[in-house]
Amino acid sequence: MHFFPSPSCLHFILTIILISMITPTFLCTNEARYENCGENFSCGGISSIKYPFWGANRTNYCEKPGFELECHDNVPLITVTSEKYRVLAIASQLHNLIVVRDDFWNNICPTRLVNTSLESTVFSYAFGLRNLTLFYGCTYNSVPILGNSSKYDCDVNSTNSNLFYVTTNITIDPRWGMSCNDTVIVPVFEGSARALEDNFTNLGTVIDGGFELQWNESDQCSKCVESVGECGYNRTENQFACFCHDQPYSNTCLTRPGHEARNP
C-alpha cells in the first residue's frame, strides 16, 4: 500500500521546507552586517576607526556616503570634492579629522598648482585655521611681496621657478611691478602660521601639519551602540541604520542576544 499525503499536508510540508531554506540566509545576512560593521578600520597610524568611516575590511553599508577611506601603501586617504587628502588623525567622538593635501605632502612644489577648495556637503573647515598664500613663478622689479614672506626655489613640471609665501591674506598690487604665474591657497593651523612668522619652523613642516575638518553628526550612533548595535547606513532609504544581532533597525536594537524582543 502506498501513502499519498493530502493536499493540505503537502502544502504544510512544502512551507516547512521553504522556511528552512530562507531563514538561515536571512539570519546570516543580518549577522554578517552586524559583525562586519563591528570591525575596526586600521591603516598606518590610524586604528580603531568605525562609523561613519568605511574601507578595507569595512563594507560601504557601515558608513555614511562621503566617508570612504583608502589604504594605499599603508597610508590612509580620503577624497573630498575630487581632491585626495592624507589623513593624519581622526577623532570620531569629536567629529573631526586632520588632513593634508596628498600632493603637498613633503612637497611644497607640486605639479598641480590649484587652490584647496572645500565645496563639500559632508565636511567643513574647523575653527583656528589660517590661509597661507603661495606665489609661484614670480617676477618683480624692485618691490617684494609685503608682509612676512620667504623665497624658495622650485622645480615645477621640469621648470625652474621661485616660490614666495605669505601668512596674511593679500593680493599682488600691479603697481609693485610684480607678477606671478600661479597662486595657491593652503589652510594651516593658526598656531603653525604664527610659528612660521616667528621663524620657529619652516613652510614644509607647517603644510605637512595639515588642517582640521569637521562633520555634523546626530546622537543616533551612540544610542545604537548603547543598545548593543553597530552603526551603519541604509543606502536604499538614504538614512541611518542600526545593525543588530538579529536584523537592522532604524534607531536602536529591539532585541539583545539571549533576550526577548523589547518594546520600542
Side-chain angles (χ1 to χ4, degrees), residues 10-221:
L10 182 61
H11 181 268
F12 175 76
I13 294 173
L14 291 175
T15 301
I16 294 299
I17 294 174
L18 183 62
I19 291 175
S20 66
M21 294 174 61
I22 294 176
T23 301
T25 303
F26 173 77
L27 292 176
C28 179
T29 301
N30 290 318
E31 182 180 3
R33 291 185 178 186
Y34 173 71
E35 291 182 353
N36 185 263
C37 293
E39 294 281 340
N40 293 331
F41 178 94
S42 296
C43 178
I46 305 294
S47 61
S48 302
I49 300 302
K50 297 176 70 173
Y51 182 87
F53 296 94
W54 72 284
N57 55 327
R58 288 172 56 81
T59 53
N60 62 1
Y61 53 69
C62 296
E63 60 90 40
K64 293 176 65 175
F67 286 83
E68 179 183 5
L69 292 177
E70 300 176 54
C71 190
H72 183 68
D73 292 336
N74 215 28
V75 174
L77 302 169
I78 189 169
T79 301
V80 183
T81 37
S82 301
E83 192 69 58
K84 199 173 292 291
Y85 294 89
R86 181 176 292 237
V87 180
L88 304 181
I90 296 178
S92 294
Q93 292 183 337
L94 300 177
H95 303 157
N96 61 46
L97 69 163
I98 298 176
V99 299
V100 59
R101 271 178 51 174
D102 190 50
D103 58 340
F104 268 92
W105 178 257
N106 283 335
N107 180 28
I108 60 175
C109 303
T111 56
R112 283 190 324 115
L113 300 178
V114 295
N115 285 335
T116 303
S117 177
L118 192 71
E119 299 176 0
S120 172
T121 58
V122 177
F123 297 101
S124 60
Y125 290 115
F127 296 104
L129 302 179
R130 192 196 298 187
N131 283 334
L132 286 185
T133 305
L134 311 178
F135 297 94
Y136 292 88
C138 299
T139 59
Y140 58 91
N141 293 330
S142 58
V143 183
I145 295 177
L146 298 180
N148 288 328
S149 178
S150 291
K151 179 185 175 183
Y152 291 82
D153 291 324
C154 267
D155 185 358
V156 179
N157 296 321
S158 301
T159 301
N160 292 327
S161 178
N162 54 41
L163 162 62
F164 289 92
Y165 75 83
V166 292
T167 57
T168 55
N169 294 326
I170 71 167
T171 57
I172 297 178
D173 191 329
R175 293 174 297 178
W176 297 351
M178 182 172 186
S179 64
C180 298
N181 293 331
D182 297 281
T183 303
V184 178
I185 295 176
V186 179
V188 298
F189 286 105
E190 175 69 30
S192 298
R194 292 178 181 173
L196 187 60
E197 291 172 343
D198 295 333
N199 295 318
F200 291 148
T201 187
N202 58 63
L203 179 63
T205 300
V206 170
I207 293 179
D208 284 350
F211 56 93
E212 188 174 357
L213 298 178
Q214 59 189 13
W215 70 90
N216 294 324
E217 188 69 59
S218 66
D219 60 352
Q220 285 178 303
C221 185

